[in-house]
Amino acid sequence: MFHVGGARTALQNWIYAKQHDGVFVLRIEDTDAARNRPEWTEGILSALDWIGIERGTYEGPYYQSSYAQDHLAAVTRLYGEGKAYYCDCKREDVIARTGNQHTGYDGFCRDRALGPGEGRALRFRTPDEGETVVADLVRGKPTFENKLIEDFVIARSDGSPLFLLANVVDDMTMGITLVLRAEEHLPNTPKQQLLWEALGHTPPTWAHVPVIVNEKRQKLSKRRDKVALESYRDEGYLAAAMKNYLMLLGWAPSGDREIVPWEVIEDEFRLEEVNHASAFFDIKKLRAFNGDYIRALSVEEFIQLCTPWLSGTDTITAPPWQPSDFDADVFTAVAPLAQTRIAVLSEIVEYVDFLFLDDLTYDEASWAKAMKEGAGEILDATLTAYEALEEWAAEPLKAALEAVGLARELKLGKTQAPVRVAVTGRSVGLPLFESIEVLGRERTLARLRAARARLTA
């Protein structure tokens, strides 16, 4: 999956590169075989396409595995220059020597002059003195005492490099000048900066943006939270709404506004203005955002964007009706009514399914709430009134039902509740009388009779 946090960071990188006449570089870190499949890479690429970072407009994708020889050359160089050494210590050995399970590596093998071999990892020899200052566009100049940075592992006993070294070598090879990523990587930065310097290169500028958290202020987790960008896309969030919302996680445009054109975000975004505090991913707020974006569409755009949910795709479940039962003209008639009510496009199905289903399925909770004492009498009276109606249109339909309620001293809301459930299967939906008009006389009367029969069954 493509994490929403990764999407936020990708957008920030994308904008920064455009603002500075730079190049956005996409690298797929594919050296972990268990987490590397072609379909997962395609998922990343298609998710980026969706938010406007389209294939062909950036460098890459490059694949980390293609640079294995560069990684090995860096390992050989650091060891040959005495900037790294082999170590055969196990974690339990360090704990036994230090008496503290929380203490980092103690440098035991620094002067043992071990060569490569089975069970021996390569550690980088960190300086004993001085400080490493990180130039960070978001956080200023975080400073790390070198003596507090342990001699960290850069290659496994089989010679394969770890993340820290591979990333540094790849960034050097690709000419990366700005590394923009989430703040959880900040503790790695002094180590990577030391590697840049040890390999004879000037470190890039860094920018560590705040992590994204859930309502409990816990870091968003793929095991616990809804984090996959693809799932939001397939649920019916608009790309424009998602992009706008993601850019507000740690930053805000000028003025008292949040929903702004993308061009404004591209113009105004500044890394120096990004907040240090964790950013709350508020799904309720995102839904509201999306609803606003949906209502801003033209009806024609709305109809077109609903198409995947009205027919189904490889990733979107097909609707409950048969394709032959769908009527595009009927949907066009109710689309403006639905557009004002839904927050995500997938909700369109439950708003219009009653129009395209032969066998209506009742929502049992709605049925129990609406079909109380007196509901049968209302259905009978409505049937009589609607059977005699000359003009089958929303206003006459409403007036007829108002008369049914008036005769029983009921307000329209009480009167229409059992009728709505009988006709649509639910207690919430499109405006009732417009829905009945589009559904048609025969189908409406048939459903009223079916509901009446169910009540007496």
Side-chain angles (χ1 to χ4, degrees):
M1 66 182 73
F2 190 48
H3 195 292
V4 291
R8 188 270 309 262
T9 308
L11 287 170
Q12 292 172 333
N13 273 283
W14 177 252
I15 292 174
Y16 188 90
K18 289 187 71 173
Q19 288 176 340
H20 295 82
D21 295 323
V23 176
F24 178 95
V25 180
L26 177 62
R27 182 170 69 235
I28 305 296
E29 296 178 345
D30 62 340
T31 52
D32 185 344
R35 301 172 65 186
N36 176 38
R37 293 184 189 173
E39 61 268 30
W40 294 345
T41 298
E42 174 58 29
I44 294 171
L45 300 179
S46 65
L48 287 172
D49 285 340
W50 183 61
I51 57 173
I53 305 177
E54 298 177 342
R55 277 171 266 206
T57 63
Y58 52 77
E59 278 198 15
Y62 299 127
Y63 294 87
Q64 190 166 66
S65 57
S66 301
Y67 297 86
Q69 292 304 314
D70 294 326
H71 304 155
L72 294 175
V75 167
T76 301
R77 175 179 173 181
L78 291 172
Y79 175 64
E81 294 178 357
K83 296 174 181 177
Y85 60 91
Y86 283 96
C87 169
D88 61 2
C89 295
K90 298 180 174 57
R91 182 61 189 155
E92 52 267 32
D93 298 332
V94 178
I95 295 173
R97 286 195 299 268
T98 62
N100 188 337
Q101 62 177 340
H102 303 293
T103 299
Y105 179 67
D106 58 356
F108 180 77
C109 291
R110 267 192 167 201
D111 300 315
R112 294 178 65 200
L114 297 176
E118 184 177 350
R120 295 177 180 180
L122 188 66
R123 289 183 179 273
F124 181 75
R125 189 187 296 269
T126 60
D128 295 322
E129 300 177 346
E131 298 174 331
T132 296
V133 179
V134 174
D136 193 301
L137 292 180
V138 175
R139 300 176 184 277
K141 293 186 176 180
T143 301
F144 301 84
E145 290 188 63
N146 291 333
K147 66 180 180 181
L148 299 180
I149 304 173
E150 68 177 13
D151 290 353
F152 52 93
V153 176
I154 57 174
R156 303 175 183 88
S157 59
D158 62 2
S160 61
L162 269 64
F163 161 82
L164 288 175
L165 180 61
N167 267 40
V168 165
V169 173
D170 290 344
D171 286 348
M172 290 176 182
T173 304
M174 298 175 191
I176 302 300
T177 57
L178 171 72
V179 175
L180 194 168
R181 56 190 183 182
E183 67 174 301
E184 66 228 50
H185 292 288
L186 185 58
N188 292 328
T189 307
K191 299 176 183 179
Q192 291 187 300
Q193 188 156 305
L194 288 170
L195 287 171
W196 275 80
E197 293 167 350
L199 291 168
H201 289 260
T202 301
T205 301
W206 309 89
H208 289 88
V209 295
V211 295
I212 302 176
V213 298
N214 62 19
E215 69 279 0
K216 296 181 180 179
R217 297 304 186 268
Q218 301 166 317
K219 179 186 168 186
L220 280 190
S221 164
K222 20 178 110 163
R223 294 178 181 83
R224 179 185 58 237
D225 303 304
K226 180 180 173 182
V227 301
L229 189 68
E230 301 95 317
S231 68
Y232 288 98
R233 177 192 63 197
D234 293 344
E235 191 176 336
Y237 285 85
L238 303 184
M242 179 60 78
K243 288 166 61 179
N244 188 163
Y245 182 72
L246 287 175
M247 288 301 296
L248 297 180
L249 298 176
W251 175 81
S254 62
D256 187 18
R257 56 182 181 165
E258 292 185 313
I259 296 180
V260 294
W262 183 248
E263 294 74 20
V264 172
I265 294 175
E266 284 191 332
D267 181 60
E268 293 191 357
F269 176 70
R270 297 291 182 273
L271 276 174
E272 295 83 355
E273 297 173 0
V274 171
N275 200 318
H276 293 191
S278 299
F280 171 34
F281 191 86
D282 186 343
I283 294 181
K284 291 181 180 178
K285 185 173 181 178
L286 174 60
R287 277 180 59 85
F289 252 62
N290 203 64
D292 287 340
Y293 269 86
I294 286 175
R295 287 184 283 280
L297 296 169
S298 69
V299 175
E300 292 74 20
E301 289 172 326
F302 175 70
I303 291 171
Q304 182 180 6
L305 288 170
C306 284
T307 300
W309 289 270
L310 300 174
S311 57
T313 69
D314 291 342
T315 58
I316 296 173
T317 303
W321 55 79
Q322 294 298 316
S324 58
D325 291 332
F326 178 76
D327 188 321
D329 291 335
V330 168
F331 179 71
T332 298
V334 300
L337 305 174
Q339 185 176 358
T340 63
R341 286 164 171 77
I342 68 174
V344 292
L345 294 175
S346 59
E347 292 174 347
I348 191 63
V349 173
E350 63 188 53
Y351 272 85
V352 304
D353 59 357
F354 73 97
L355 294 166
F356 310 118
L357 291 171
D358 286 333
D359 298 320
L360 191 66
T361 301
Y362 301 105
D363 173 67
E364 292 300 333
S366 297
W367 178 275
K369 184 177 180 180
M371 300 301 183
K372 296 179 179 178
E373 185 179 352
E377 183 182 343
I378 291 173
L379 293 178
D380 287 337
T382 303
L383 267 166
T384 300
Y386 281 2
E387 285 171 342
L389 206 60
E390 293 184 5
E391 183 187 2
W392 193 263
E395 283 304 317
L397 288 163
K398 179 181 179 182
L401 195 59
E402 284 178 328
V404 169
L406 186 62
R408 290 157 182 78
E409 299 183 345
L410 294 173
K411 293 182 178 180
L412 181 59
K414 291 283 187 182
T415 311
Q416 72 177 14
V419 176
R420 176 182 288 280
V421 174
V423 172
T424 71
R426 296 184 178 88
S427 58
V428 177
L430 303 180
L432 177 60
F433 304 106
E434 288 82 352
S435 297
I436 293 175
E437 177 183 346
V438 174
L439 185 64
R441 184 190 298 269
E442 291 185 9
R443 296 178 76 193
T444 300
L445 296 178
R447 289 184 182 185
L448 289 170
R449 294 187 190 106
R452 187 67 184 90
R454 190 176 196 251
L455 265 178
T456 57

